[in-house]
Amino acid sequence: MKFLTENQIDAVVLDMNFRKGFENGQDGLYWMNEIKTLEPQLPIILMTAYGEVELAVEALKNGASDFILKPWNNEKLYASVNLAVDISRKNKKLSQWENINQKSNQYQLDTHSVKMRDILDQIEKVAPTDANVLLLGENGTGKYVLAESIHEQSDRKSEPFVHIDLGSISENLFESELFGYKKGAFTDAHQDYAGKIENAQNGTVFLDEIGNLPLQLQTKLLSLIQNKKLARIGETKERQLDVRFIFATNENLKKAVGENRFRQDLYYRINTVEIQIPALRERTEDIDLLSQYFLNRYKQKYHKPNLELDENLLTKLKNYSWPGNIRELDHCLERSVILSNSTDLQLLMPQHEEQDNTIINLNIEEMEEVLIKKALKKHRGNISSAAEDLGLSRAALYRRMEKFGL
């Protein structure tokens, strides 16, 4: 339960029995109720033996999202977990950003920073068009939120907004996940599958971490953007596609073009409008606004309404360089609220608070390498923990480690 309060969990796979000799499924029901008390919207998939099916069906009525029979079928398990995660993430986004157009209520779209005001003005102008937009900025600067804001201010706002994080997809699944496939196209293609891009028909596709797309698929993406036609793997028939594309990366794409890691013609195609998002240390005037937003959110979530940020705590927040940007500030405030008592906010600054301040003068590539080294050292080589601290997926961290020879 402590792990659930300290981490962002999308779905839970829960066994029905935990103790030897107790096989009535009551353990699973107990823990399901405990989890639902803490996180009512969190999808829970029960794993049960054949004889417990009636119990599992009863659990479905009480809030479980699905149940898997042992011994399980891998495809059924994958499909069930995949669906639960998708639903969970969509619910979280809806709950967090359902009023995204009401700028006064959204920290992301309310700012005291001159740089951010200029960016919001650009977004307001480009949003009603179908122009391709490239969002550039460090990890944690709010690229997703701005991409969604563009969608919500466009004529496509009532259609799907599909976020595709290329940093979290295994390279051997890129093509099938993005473009879909025909039944029988390869060994495990047991049915027709519409890819993520096709599922955004009439809406917006947000391709995050575009710098991770392999060269061979860059050609296919370029053709899709130019011709607005998509062919699933194993099909010769092309499907007409009507989507608007937004792209994002923290990489230097011009450098990647020079190193032949990114197609120059694709680069020019995706950056009809290029927006550089400032790091949090470049918009410190927004730290008050952001901190109060996060504090209010977590006061409500963890039932601690009396916690407040005084001037001393705000000064401490402003004096930190926030290498993880808004995402790091978010995690810092959540951690602090969780571990504070109900009346006195104990601000728990990141452990690398006393880092060498000269890091802010380095270029992005150098900073990224330094931060990765620090995260690996801090977590003693534990890739999962280091990736979480950096706001990356394990796959994305491995790619960066390979890039820097770590």
Side-chain angles (χ1 to χ4, degrees):
M1 299 302 286
K2 184 173 182 289
F3 186 86
L4 284 175
T5 64
E6 294 177 353
N7 296 273
Q8 296 294 327
I9 305 302
D10 292 313
V12 172
V13 181
L14 181 67
D15 208 333
M16 295 290 286
N17 300 298
F18 292 94
R19 295 175 294 170
K20 189 174 181 179
F22 291 84
E23 298 181 354
N24 57 7
Q26 293 305 311
D27 283 343
L29 293 179
Y30 171 80
W31 286 111
M32 186 187 82
N33 290 331
E34 290 291 299
I35 293 168
K36 283 293 182 183
T37 300
L38 182 67
E39 293 282 359
Q41 300 302 318
L42 186 60
I44 298 175
I45 300 167
L46 297 175
M47 303 194 79
T48 177
Y50 181 77
E52 299 164 342
V53 169
E54 289 187 9
L55 197 63
V57 171
E58 186 65 28
L60 287 174
K61 297 177 182 177
N62 293 326
S65 60
D66 200 356
F67 70 89
I68 301 291
L69 279 176
K70 301 176 187 177
W72 60 81
N73 173 280
N74 285 341
E75 291 178 10
K76 163 66 176 169
L77 176 62
Y78 173 80
S80 183
V81 172
N82 199 37
L83 178 62
V85 169
D86 280 348
I87 291 173
S88 177
R89 290 178 178 174
K90 287 174 184 175
N91 286 341
K92 287 176 184 176
K93 290 170 189 174
L94 284 171
S95 65
Q96 291 176 15
W97 319 127
E98 59 185 356
N99 296 318
I100 197 164
N101 284 324
Q102 300 176 12
K103 294 187 178 183
S104 62
N105 294 329
Q106 293 297 324
Y107 81 88
Q108 296 87 352
L109 299 180
D110 193 5
T111 182
H112 300 311
S113 162
V114 174
K115 289 182 178 180
M116 282 304 299
R117 281 199 201 102
D118 289 342
I119 287 172
L120 295 181
D121 287 343
Q122 290 180 59
I123 286 175
E124 189 174 352
K125 291 172 183 174
V126 75
T129 74
D130 269 347
N132 297 326
V133 179
L134 175 61
L135 301 174
L136 300 173
E138 298 174 15
N139 284 327
T141 49
K143 295 188 286 293
Y144 171 87
V145 172
L146 292 177
E148 194 171 37
S149 175
I150 292 171
H151 172 74
E152 290 295 331
Q153 294 181 60
S154 76
D155 293 337
R156 298 176 181 269
K157 62 185 178 183
S158 60
E159 302 296 338
F161 174 80
V162 176
H163 174 215
I164 306 173
D165 182 2
L166 297 175
S168 65
I169 301 175
S170 172
E171 190 164 327
N172 62 333
L173 295 177
F174 268 129
E175 189 169 11
S176 59
E177 285 292 305
L178 266 61
F179 300 100
Y181 50 80
K182 181 181 179 182
K183 180 179 179 181
F186 47 85
T187 304
D188 294 324
H190 300 298
Q191 59 187 16
D192 289 344
Y193 175 78
K196 293 180 182 296
I197 293 176
E198 189 178 336
N199 283 330
Q201 184 73 296
N202 300 319
T204 302
V205 173
F206 175 39
L207 279 170
D208 206 353
E209 300 285 1
I210 186 64
N212 289 330
L213 192 66
L215 274 171
Q216 68 271 19
L217 291 185
Q218 291 177 25
T219 303
K220 189 167 182 176
L221 179 62
L222 177 63
S223 174
L224 186 152
I225 295 170
Q226 289 176 331
N227 303 321
K228 298 293 185 181
K229 291 181 179 179
L230 177 147
R232 296 179 184 177
I233 300 172
E235 283 187 345
T236 55
K237 178 187 72 173
E238 290 187 316
R239 301 164 185 267
Q240 197 67 37
L241 190 70
D242 179 16
V243 298
R244 195 257 183 91
F245 283 99
I246 302 174
F247 307 89
T249 184
N250 65 345
E251 274 203 65
N252 184 336
L253 288 187
K254 289 182 180 177
K255 182 179 179 182
V257 168
E259 295 173 351
N260 296 318
R261 292 185 291 109
F262 201 85
R263 290 182 60 111
Q264 186 176 52
D265 47 3
L266 179 60
Y267 172 64
Y268 289 132
R269 178 63 65 175
I270 68 177
N271 75 335
T272 305
V273 177
E274 185 174 295
I275 298 176
Q276 180 73 49
I277 304 169
L280 184 54
R281 61 182 173 277
E282 297 170 356
R283 47 181 291 210
T284 54
E285 57 267 56
D286 280 343
I287 287 179
D288 285 24
L289 192 68
L290 292 159
S291 300
Q292 196 59 57
Y293 173 85
F294 289 128
L295 179 62
N296 290 340
R297 178 201 289 179
Y298 296 124
K299 281 165 56 174
Q300 182 178 2
K301 180 176 180 179
Y302 299 112
H303 311 293
K304 297 182 179 180
N306 297 321
L307 296 180
E308 297 295 340
L309 274 168
D310 61 30
E311 286 301 319
N312 289 333
L313 296 182
L314 281 171
T315 299
K316 194 172 184 180
L317 290 169
K318 289 178 182 178
N319 287 339
Y320 180 59
S321 62
W322 301 107
N325 294 295
I326 299 172
R327 185 182 293 124
E328 185 180 21
L329 178 62
D330 181 356
H331 291 170
C332 172
L333 267 298
E334 181 172 21
R335 226 175 12 248
S336 298
V337 170
I338 289 171
L339 297 176
S340 294
N341 60 40
S342 59
T343 57
D344 182 23
L345 180 64
Q346 300 297 313
L347 192 58
L348 301 174
M349 296 296 287
Q351 293 181 18
H352 45 282
E353 179 182 4
E354 302 302 326
Q355 65 181 335
D356 180 1
N357 288 329
T358 59
I359 191 171
I360 64 173
N361 297 319
L362 302 176
N363 65 40
I364 291 174
E365 292 279 327
E366 292 170 332
M367 176 186 290
E368 187 175 40
E369 183 177 359
V370 169
L371 288 176
I372 288 171
K373 287 179 178 177
K374 285 180 176 289
L376 290 170
K377 182 179 179 181
K378 171 184 172 183
H379 296 285
R380 300 179 181 178
N382 185 305
I383 300 297
S384 296
S385 298
E388 182 180 355
D389 210 6
L390 290 164
L392 299 171
S393 67
R394 281 171 55 90
L397 179 54
Y398 273 124
R399 279 193 287 275
R400 284 164 173 77
M401 290 170 64
E402 182 177 357
K403 171 182 168 184
F404 295 117
L406 301 177

